[in-house]
Amino acid sequence: MNSDSPAARAKLGKVLVSAEQIAARMPALAREIVDWMGDGDDDLVLVPVMTGAFIFAADLVRHMPVRMRITLATVSSYPGASTASQGVRPLGDLPANLEGRRVLVIDDILDSGRTLRFLRERFESQKPARFATAVLLRKTIPEAMNTTCEFVGFDIPDEFVVGCGLDYDGCFRNLPDVRVLHPEGSAS
Ligand code: IMP
Ligand code: MG
């Protein structure tokens, strides 16, 4: 990492959700999702939102012993070293041909809710048979709590967090625990 980058100067804070807690939550969360999906034939599509959801999605799908297709969607909402949503922008084409399918969007965290509201609108307009969203983390702030999300791994306080797929300035996604991050200059 460039030693002058914002990520290099940022300070890692306390662990909010440990790798062990995440691993322990996956089987029950996966079961809830599989129960919600009901039976279907060859029509289940999971849409992990890149890049943040790649670890959560990988953990979750290995506890879902059902036939599925996995199609990635890439959106950008926190470009570079910002810690506040800058608006949602799809990068490349979003999955199409979802009519009549059961669709589950998987994201790392529900914060302002912009990302999930944007994707719900775009995907529901394709008339899927069922549509739901799942997140590993949800911040306990009104914007997040008032955004529809059917499956939530953990509710966390309103802190900027990294690890288990979540980044700051592109870094820290590989940390096994979810930890608070203090950008340089902020109170720790
Ligand atoms: P929302 O659109 O504000 O709900 O935020 C959703 C997206 O912003 C997530 O998919 C994350 O990529 C990013 N994000 C939101 N909060 C955090 C955070 O605390 N740490 C890292 N990324 C975050
Ligand atoms: Mg994201």
Side-chain angles (χ1 to χ4, degrees):
M1 195 192 306
N2 173 353
S3 62
D4 234 9
S5 74
R9 294 191 305 264
K11 297 258 180 302
L12 287 172
K14 71 174 181 184
V15 173
L16 283 189
V17 188
S18 69
E20 291 72 23
Q21 288 174 292
I22 295 168
R25 179 79 177 99
M26 289 304 115
L29 188 59
R31 167 57 49 201
E32 269 183 66
I33 294 171
V34 169
D35 288 348
W36 163 84
M37 285 166 177
D39 288 331
D41 184 26
D42 207 29
D43 66 338
L44 177 60
V45 183
L46 267 51
V47 185
V49 181
M50 291 296 103
T51 304
F54 80 109
I55 293 179
F56 173 44
D59 285 349
L60 196 61
V61 296
R62 285 177 289 173
H63 292 282
M64 295 175 63
V66 293
R67 184 177 168 91
M68 64 173 70
R69 290 189 170 78
I70 300 177
T71 307
L72 306 179
T74 303
V75 302
S76 170
S77 52
Y78 280 50
S82 59
T83 55
S85 180
Q86 308 290 302
V88 183
R89 193 163 54 96
L91 302 178
D93 292 336
L94 291 176
N97 306 321
L98 299 179
E99 183 173 352
R101 295 181 186 268
R102 296 168 296 154
V103 178
L104 179 77
V105 167
I106 302 174
D107 205 357
D108 50 2
I109 191 166
L110 174 52
D111 185 359
S112 74
R114 284 198 188 94
T115 305
L116 289 189
R117 284 198 301 271
F118 172 84
L119 292 175
R120 183 178 291 272
E121 193 184 307
R122 293 285 286 260
F123 291 147
E124 282 192 334
S125 72
Q126 295 187 38
K127 307 261 181 288
R130 277 167 175 241
F131 179 85
T133 58
V135 293
L136 175 65
L137 307 168
R138 175 174 63 183
K139 293 189 186 174
T140 48
I141 57 173
E143 300 92 309
M145 305 304 285
N146 292 331
T147 298
T148 304
C149 181
E150 287 78 1
F151 304 102
V152 176
F154 299 89
D155 278 316
I156 60 166
D158 185 16
E159 304 267 16
F160 192 82
V161 293
V162 294
C164 199
L166 292 117
D167 77 302
Y168 173 66
D169 194 24
C171 296
F172 306 116
R173 294 191 196 276
N174 56 314
L175 298 179
D177 304 314
V178 173
R179 300 180 65 160
V180 176
L181 179 119
H182 304 286
E184 185 191 39
S186 76
S188 54

